[in-house]
Amino acid sequence: MENVTIRMLAERLQLSTATISKALSNSHEISEETKQRVLALAAELNYVPNPYASSLRKKSSHTIAVVIPEVADSFFAEAINGIESVAQEKGYHVLIYLTHESFGKEQAILKDFQSGRVDGVLISVTTETAAAAHGLAQLVKEIPVVFFDRVCEEVTAARITTDDANAAYNATTHLIAGGCRNIGLLSASRHLSISNRRAEGFRQALTDHQLPLTDASILYCSNEPAETRQLLKTALQQNHYDGLIATTEKLATAVYLACEELSLAIPGDIQVIGFSNLSTARFLQPSLTTVSQPAFDMGHAAATVLFKALKSSSFPLQEQQQVIPSSLIIRNSTKG
Amino acid sequence: MENVTIRMLAERLQLSTATISKALSNSHEISEETKQRVLALAAELNYVPNPYASSLRKKSSHTIAVVIPEVADSFFAEAINGIESVAQEKGYHVLIYLTHESFGKEQAILKDFQSGRVDGVLISVTTETAAAAHGLAQLVKEIPVVFFDRVCEEVTAARITTDDANAAYNATTHLIAGGCRNIGLLSASRHLSISNRRAEGFRQALTDHQLPLTDASILYCSNEPAETRQLLKTALQQNHYDGLIATTEKLATAVYLACEELSLAIPGDIQVIGFSNLSTARFLQPSLTTVSQPAFDMGHAAATVLFKALKSSSFPLQEQQQVIPSSLIIRNSTKG
DNA sequence: TTTATTTACTTAACCGATTAAGTAACACGG
DNA sequence: CCGTGTTACTTAATCGGTTAAGTAAATAAA
């Protein structure tokens, strides 16, 4: 059985395709009786409109793109949940693109969006994405874009973030209160604005408590788990940290692994805080003190703002800046 | 600046749109020189073809759909990773649909696929999806579909699964070896074939070891966390299990929570095995003995099989059945 | 030299829906 | 009875590529 088209409905009912199209979109130009006949036949033949024909003509795809570094991370997974909940409600389709932290891949993906494939984009950039990311600045001019979590501060665009500096400040203060004097911050990137904000908060807290900031205070990790693991072990052996803040979920797990391998007791030898949304954080050995980001809410907020822009082109999307607070959840990996 | 179209290129170069189109697709009908001129101008003007125009004409979208119950689950997140790795390599786009375990949503999503929106579908059905899922049988006739993990055995289609019965059998045997005599199986669904396979393996293991199967042996849980929690607590208090097998990741976490609330020691009072791909399983308190499914590989295999069918319509997709083994990883939540 | 073939294009139809513009048929006010 | 609206349609153009069919010129074969 061939796909049912509007033309087939038209022939069966001895009407023009225009009439069918208008009847299906409930146009006032069409009589009630005709609408009923069209709807009935459409249901009978199980007519489903071809989305691409409609997209081509209307120049809108009813589709958005989500561009993220990875899915196997509870922050991003929950964020997708938030995004999808809004998209589903609005009847939009969601394309997923994973950059795997590669700036090159990100560029290629974004370039494709100039084709009109999607009506809007939600993005959390890679750890490699440089400040002067030309492709991003370009994209923002062409279609609605909302950055969430990992934003690009140099680009004027809508941004949904958490209070990264504050969160890091509070985490650091908590470690200091627990007796830490030699704290390390594990950062995922030198380029990432959220990494820099977290480093800022960290530095400020050290300063405010008259603790020194050394070269070893901030440790830039790799995207390669194996590399990070080696780096981490070496650093732990050389610097004898008594506190660590892992600024990503993967890094938090890496710390547990490294401590196990080096037989360092948490929180006895070293206290640990992780930026993480792991639902299992409370069941870890020891349970992990976390900075929990409102992942679902951030995804939800980002999508909500995007859809406002899609609905009304006069909506000042680029001015939208939301900061949704994270919370420090104290558990047994710290003594504070 | 308006979107660059093939017609604009044609006008600039004083050629027909047909020539441009053929030049861009490297047709042998076009001279080398003309191809170069077209490519050069396309690059200069940053031409990106409109995917919907091409989809409409070619009746193929270069897009696949992934339909899953949720993303915030490490099995599904890793499976998406596997799928995406293949899709990216082939230059395909990936639409994500979450059913949130609702059969109704699943039906609506699948119906939309009759529109030609996607060239193929990868699906893991909901816990509610009944055997006689009419929409699925219909869909399989219309476009290439591959089931992964949560398959629908009544529908003739490609299937990528794990050896669920075996895995459950081994898990049960492991508990018995550890001294358990009153084991409970936490199941997510009565309809799901993988749940039934796991229950089968469980029953077989009990039988083989002369252990009784009672009404309390298999506990059907809800999709509502709160309900499951209550159900679980009640069951734990009434039945005094000495071993539990949680057949989903969410259920494994729920067990840890319930045991904590009831002050049941794992593995002292009760031993626990979870079907889970949590990277943190080894760091849990106590570390969790898991049946680990090859999530990435399953996603990869499912996508690979799908693309074979997309490439060649003579590929016998419906006959493809792959069983990728799970592994039992023994940790401290069990004594065996 | 004439015919056949190849090369490098162009013309025009097409995919399926949308929509501006046009047109009968009928109603209604003056 | 005539002009003005209104209703309920139809016609045809359009979105941006793709492709079957056609053509003129150059080249090869007979």
Side-chain angles (χ1 to χ4, degrees):
Chain A
M1 185 163 54
E2 274 305 291
N3 265 338
V4 184
T5 67
I6 245 181
R7 169 183 269 122
M8 292 166 77
L9 299 182
E11 277 165 13
R12 288 264 202 135
L13 294 175
Q14 295 288 42
L15 290 169
S16 72
T17 60
T19 302
I20 306 295
S21 176
K22 287 173 181 167
L24 290 171
S25 60
N26 200 24
S27 159
H28 64 91
E29 290 179 45
I30 306 300
S31 72
E32 215 35 65
E33 192 210 325
T34 303
K35 280 183 193 171
Q36 292 311 319
R37 290 207 303 145
V38 171
L39 255 32
L41 186 64
E44 187 195 327
L45 299 186
N46 194 27
Y47 167 73
V48 184
N50 182 313
Y52 298 138
S54 154
S55 291
L56 180 59
R57 181 66 225 252
K58 299 210 287 191
K59 288 179 178 265
S60 90
S61 61
H62 253 230
T63 303
I64 61 171
V66 176
V67 183
I68 52 175
E70 50 184 330
V71 259
D73 173 295
S74 47
F75 172 79
F76 289 117
E78 276 300 340
I80 291 175
N81 252 336
I83 292 166
E84 200 269 351
S85 71
V86 183
Q88 191 158 96
E89 185 202 322
K90 305 275 182 189
Y92 270 66
H93 300 260
V94 180
L95 280 167
I96 289 270
Y97 296 90
L98 306 181
T99 57
H100 297 289
E101 305 287 11
S102 153
F103 181 55
K105 271 187 194 165
E106 190 177 76
Q107 292 272 72
I109 291 162
L110 298 184
K111 168 157 190 192
D112 176 74
F113 295 160
Q114 302 193 336
S115 67
R117 187 184 298 279
V118 295
D119 295 345
V121 176
L122 297 168
I123 184 171
S124 212
V125 302
T126 81
T127 48
E128 293 179 349
T129 305
H134 180 262
L136 278 168
Q138 179 66 24
L139 186 68
V140 166
K141 285 181 204 145
E142 298 182 351
I143 57 173
V145 175
V146 178
F147 289 86
F148 69 98
D149 196 46
R150 299 187 180 184
V151 306
C152 213
E153 290 181 337
E154 294 75 13
V155 177
T156 307
R159 292 198 273 263
I160 310 290
T161 52
T162 20
D163 52 346
D164 290 292
N166 263 332
Y169 186 95
N170 293 339
T172 311
T173 305
H174 173 66
L175 285 177
I176 295 171
C180 297
R181 291 298 172 265
N182 180 21
I183 305 174
L185 183 86
L186 305 185
S187 175
S189 166
R190 292 171 198 280
H191 313 297
L192 229 44
S193 69
I194 58 166
S195 296
N196 295 331
R197 294 284 151 277
R198 289 172 190 177
E200 251 172 49
F202 171 65
R203 274 193 228 102
Q204 189 62 50
L206 291 187
T207 308
D208 287 358
H209 294 84
Q210 282 89 41
L211 286 176
L213 183 84
T214 70
D215 280 354
S217 294
I218 301 184
L219 195 64
Y220 291 97
C221 300
S222 155
N223 292 327
E224 281 303 311
E227 252 178 77
T228 290
R229 182 180 175 179
Q230 195 48 54
L231 202 105
L232 203 50
K233 281 175 75 170
T234 310
L236 281 170
Q237 287 172 312
Q238 289 180 345
N239 300 306
H240 303 292
Y241 298 110
D242 53 11
L244 273 185
I245 301 176
T247 59
T248 70
E249 192 166 292
K250 284 235 161 35
L251 289 174
T253 320
V255 168
Y256 269 55
L257 192 62
C259 288
E260 189 179 276
E261 289 179 354
L262 297 174
S263 301
L264 290 171
I266 307 174
D269 298 325
I270 186 167
Q271 299 183 44
V272 178
I273 296 183
F275 276 68
S276 166
N277 289 70
L278 278 170
S279 62
T280 52
R282 60 175 298 183
F283 300 121
L284 294 182
Q285 165 71 304
S287 62
L288 175 66
T289 294
T290 56
V291 174
S292 287
Q293 298 179 271
F296 184 93
D297 294 341
M298 287 174 75
H300 191 93
T304 302
V305 160
L306 180 65
F307 281 113
K308 279 188 187 161
L310 294 183
K311 199 172 186 182
S312 147
S313 55
S314 66
F315 182 75
L317 181 63
Q318 305 200 347
E319 295 163 24
Q320 303 301 310
Q321 313 279 326
Q322 278 186 54
V323 179
I324 307 180
S326 298
S327 50
L328 181 67
I329 301 175
I330 297 169
R331 300 205 184 85
N332 297 327
S333 62
T334 54
K335 297 178 189 165
Chain B
M1 184 164 56
E2 273 304 291
N3 265 337
V4 184
T5 67
I6 247 181
R7 168 182 270 120
M8 292 166 77
L9 299 182
E11 276 164 13
R12 289 266 201 132
L13 294 175
Q14 295 286 43
L15 290 169
S16 72
T17 60
T19 302
I20 306 294
S21 176
K22 287 174 183 168
L24 291 171
S25 59
N26 200 23
S27 160
H28 64 90
E29 290 180 44
I30 307 299
S31 71
E32 213 38 61
E33 192 210 326
T34 303
K35 280 183 193 170
Q36 291 311 319
R37 290 207 302 145
V38 171
L39 254 33
L41 186 66
E44 185 195 329
L45 299 185
N46 195 26
Y47 166 74
V48 184
N50 182 313
Y52 299 138
S54 148
S55 290
L56 180 57
R57 181 65 225 252
K58 298 210 287 192
K59 291 178 175 262
S60 90
S61 61
H62 253 233
T63 303
I64 61 171
V66 175
V67 183
I68 51 175
E70 49 184 330
V71 258
D73 173 295
S74 48
F75 173 78
F76 290 117
E78 277 298 341
I80 292 175
N81 253 336
I83 292 165
E84 201 267 353
S85 70
V86 183
Q88 192 158 94
E89 185 202 321
K90 306 274 182 189
Y92 270 66
H93 300 260
V94 179
L95 281 166
I96 288 271
Y97 295 90
L98 305 181
T99 57
H100 298 289
E101 305 287 9
S102 153
F103 181 56
K105 272 188 193 164
E106 189 178 77
Q107 292 271 72
I109 290 162
L110 297 184
K111 170 157 188 190
D112 175 75
F113 295 161
Q114 303 193 335
S115 67
R117 186 184 298 280
V118 295
D119 296 345
V121 177
L122 296 168
I123 184 172
S124 213
V125 302
T126 81
T127 49
E128 292 179 348
T129 305
H134 180 261
L136 277 168
Q138 180 67 25
L139 186 68
V140 167
K141 285 181 205 144
E142 296 182 352
I143 57 173
V145 176
V146 177
F147 289 86
F148 68 99
D149 196 46
R150 297 186 180 185
V151 306
C152 213
E153 290 182 336
E154 294 74 14
V155 177
T156 307
R159 291 198 274 264
I160 310 290
T161 52
T162 20
D163 51 346
D164 289 291
N166 262 332
Y169 186 94
N170 293 338
T172 311
T173 305
H174 173 66
L175 284 176
I176 295 171
C180 297
R181 291 296 172 268
N182 182 20
I183 306 174
L185 183 85
L186 305 184
S187 175
S189 166
R190 292 171 198 278
H191 312 297
L192 229 42
S193 69
I194 58 166
S195 297
N196 294 333
R197 293 287 153 275
R198 289 171 190 177
E200 249 173 49
F202 172 66
R203 273 192 229 104
Q204 188 62 50
L206 291 187
T207 308
D208 288 358
H209 293 84
Q210 281 89 40
L211 287 176
L213 182 84
T214 71
D215 280 354
S217 294
I218 301 185
L219 195 62
Y220 291 96
C221 300
S222 157
N223 293 326
E224 282 303 310
E227 251 179 78
T228 290
R229 183 180 175 178
Q230 196 46 55
L231 203 104
L232 203 51
K233 281 174 76 168
T234 311
L236 281 170
Q237 287 171 314
Q238 289 181 346
N239 300 306
H240 303 292
Y241 298 111
D242 53 12
L244 274 186
I245 300 176
T247 60
T248 70
E249 191 166 292
K250 284 233 161 38
L251 289 174
T253 321
V255 168
Y256 269 55
L257 192 63
C259 288
E260 187 179 277
E261 288 178 356
L262 296 174
S263 301
L264 289 172
I266 306 174
D269 298 326
I270 187 167
Q271 300 181 45
V272 179
I273 296 183
F275 277 69
S276 166
N277 288 71
L278 278 171
S279 60
T280 52
R282 58 176 300 184
F283 302 119
L284 294 181
Q285 165 68 306
S287 61
L288 175 65
T289 294
T290 56
V291 174
S292 287
Q293 296 179 273
F296 183 93
D297 294 340
M298 287 173 75
H300 191 93
T304 301
V305 160
L306 180 64
F307 281 114
K308 279 188 188 162
L310 294 183
K311 197 171 186 184
S312 149
S313 56
S314 66
F315 182 75
L317 181 63
Q318 306 200 348
E319 296 163 22
Q320 304 300 311
Q321 313 279 326
Q322 279 183 53
V323 179
I324 307 181
S326 298
S327 50
L328 181 67
I329 301 175
I330 298 168
R331 299 203 185 84
N332 297 326
S333 63
T334 55
K335 297 179 190 165

